[in-house]
Amino acid sequence: MIRLPAHLVRLAATPRDKDEAIAQVAQLLVDAGNVPPDYVQGMLRREHTANTYLGNGVAIPHGVPEDKDLIRETGIAVLQVPQGVSWTEAGEAARLIVGIAARSDEHLEVLRRLTRVLADPAQVDELTRTADPARIIEALTGERAAATPAAPAVSTLPYRTELRLPNPAGMHARPATQLAQLVKAHGGRVQLSYGGALADASSMMSVLQLGLPAGATFELSADDPATLQALRDAVAAGLGDDLSAPASAQAPERVAPAWEPQRVSATIEGVPASGGLVVGVTRQHRTERLQVSDEGVSDPALEATRLDAAIAAARQDLHDLAREVGESLGRERAAIFEAHAALLEDEAVIQDTVRRILDGHSVAWAYQAVMNERIAQLQRLDDPNLAARAADLGDVQGRVLRKLLGLPEPQLTSGQPVVLIAHDLTPSDTATLDPGSVLGFCTAVGGPTSHTAIIARGLGLPAIVAAGEGVLNIPDGTPCILDGASGRLYLEPSEADRLEAAARREQAERDQAAAREARHQPATTRDGHRVEVAANINRASDAASALEAGAEGVGLMRTEFLFLERDSIPSEEEQEREYRAMAESLAGRPLIIRTLDIGGDKEVPYLGLAREDNSFLGMRGIRLCFERPDLFVPQLRAIYRAARHGDVRIMFPMISTLEDFRRAKGIAEAVRAELGAPQVPLGIMVEVPSAALLAEEFAREVDFFSIGTNDLTQYTLAMDRLHPQLARQTDALHPAVLRMIDTTVRAAQRHGRWVGVCGGAAGEPLGALLLSGLGVHELSVSVPQVPAVKAALREHSMTELRELAARALTCASAAEVRALV
Ligand code: PEP
Ligand code: MG
């Protein structure tokens, strides 16, 4: 570690000009014995060929490479010039001048710390005015600067808390971007520590390099308690990730192949990334390695301008791509390209690149080297989800380099339809694949939760990943069958197998097309029983797509999403507008609005809620609303005002006792009476075992039930719904959960009450059949699931479904239930 003794810091200097400033800082190094007096000549020469101004009032004059041998000992010296001295042609003034004499790369740590200081103008300002050299020494060499994962460190910030990361895919690019943005919005310093490493939370890259996997416990620290509280809440809320992730964002589980070819020359086992069966021939996708040379640079300012221009052009491309993908695949899928755009802006990358440019390297070489370091760090991490994020960085790197090298974006198309084989595909490659010529793909590396896989699922493109480097040796044109659901690639299947696979694929496509065609028809079983199929939505804009998908109403509108992704409470007027827009879009179809379900995994950063040890068992849902009438009452007022415009029903979440319901109903009634609004049905979520067990009593008082299988499962089985190790066991079709549902439905039937199910089990084909057999009236599912759920119900008679449900209730495990079909 490089040292900066106090005698190498000179405060309140007043050099006449830049050359004198360089001479003064060089003299400090001369006096300390690090360099001989003529070293200053090299520093001046360097400065004339490459300006060493870093930005924000900091300059780093240093010698030319030929003078390295003059250096007796690596050292740095600091000249503080509070008035500033003009340093660049544009007239930028340097106020903190860090003279460097480095024999090898010991000074890089100081530069790294400098880039951290640079990102914080308030700190630079303080350092240029302080009368205490210790402040400068601490900033440049002490623990306070950002550390890298390789350098174990502890935070020195005064306010700290331990947290568990709820994001199912770990800390990936999107949440890291949101965290960095929040930190910048709050100001001040925030750090994350994990596994002995410390990251600056305002740098997305630094956060990514920690490699936080799903469920990781880490420490969040800040220099201010309010910031700490707000960020803790934001992390718990998922930092923009939907913690009840939609089906397509989740990796498909590896399933036993529904069908296997009889005669093939080889079977390659990969990891399923996107379901579907395709028959075709292989084609290798070989990426050209970008040739980046490092010719000497005469004008660093010009190189820096080129970097700016390349980043601006890449940013524009990414915004265009995000818009196009948003239009074709939805906002969720497009978010990755916004995250890529944020990666472009990473201050630390830009500063490191500029530093290398100042060291005499070309802009393309410098940018490639800086990004390569970060990619290598991510690839070294144990967690496959996070290592997969290296693909995101590689994607961004390639885009910027192509701009710098004047190369076009690659087009992955081919003359005839093929199964593409690649080492890896970037998310941008995947989003721009031509579905007319690419039937599916198989990559040697990658992971099922990568954005590449998520986009493939959005495109309906069968895909397998992590199939091993061996796939890169498959000759082009090899006949093959790709089974995305089982993660298998079959090579050289017999003609009979190819025909059979093609027939199966066509059948699956016909089924999907038929389901889509019939999406506006009711889900009526063969013996004439109708089950309502509705959609779960989060925003007014989702209502139209729900209807388009064939939904017969909205069985769950999660109002907390109106409170997330912003930094203040939505007003009563704003909420009313949103609820009213939904009611109007639904044109008389039912709209069940659930009052705020904040707490547990869904927290709202700006509400300043107290920390909970067991957030799922604490002040969540209705309990929080009772504590916070400032949230509950305006929301109820907004719903009642909107109720005049449609068939609006109100549902309370997390009801566990009768007293809860009575109290909520009392408050709602008072609000209604004050507004003179019409009465609307008042129901409860059945998502806590006590509500299911007391269904008989509840049924006498509530207007309807909607069963939340997500929470009912976690509370019945005592398994955290976000716990990565318990994910496979947290199965809503467990007989213990089905018996809770059965108890609820039978109580409802005795009292003539309507029962829906709005948890994830309703959208699974088997779940939909079982729940209908148990007697629920409505299944409320995510929008894309509507056609398939309706189609599945039409395939059976209610008599069959009742028998199926009765058998499931006698099973002893979820596996037994699943084996029934
Ligand atoms: C549920 O718990 O099943 C439910 C639908 O509510 P959420 O997923 O929003 O907790
Ligand atoms: Mg719930």
Side-chain angles (χ1 to χ4, degrees), residues 556 558 560 594 597 601-602 620 653-654 685 687 708-712 714-715 721 758:
L556 168 64
R558 289 181 163 104
E560 49 279 4
R594 181 174 75 182
D597 184 19
D601 56 331
K602 287 172 270 183
R620 176 182 175 192
M654 274 298 284
M685 292 279 296
E687 52 185 347
T709 50
N710 307 336
D711 279 311
L712 188 58
Q714 83 160 342
Y715 294 129
R721 65 193 262 184
C758 58

Side-chain angles (χ1 to χ4, degrees), residues 7-8 10 19-40 43 77 79 99:
H7 61 269
L8 279 169
R10 181 166 161 203
D19 283 3
E20 189 176 315
I22 293 174
Q24 287 183 6
V25 80
Q27 193 58 45
L28 291 171
L29 291 164
V30 172
D31 293 346
N34 295 75
V35 291
D38 46 355
Y39 188 74
V40 68
M43 286 177 106
L79 194 71

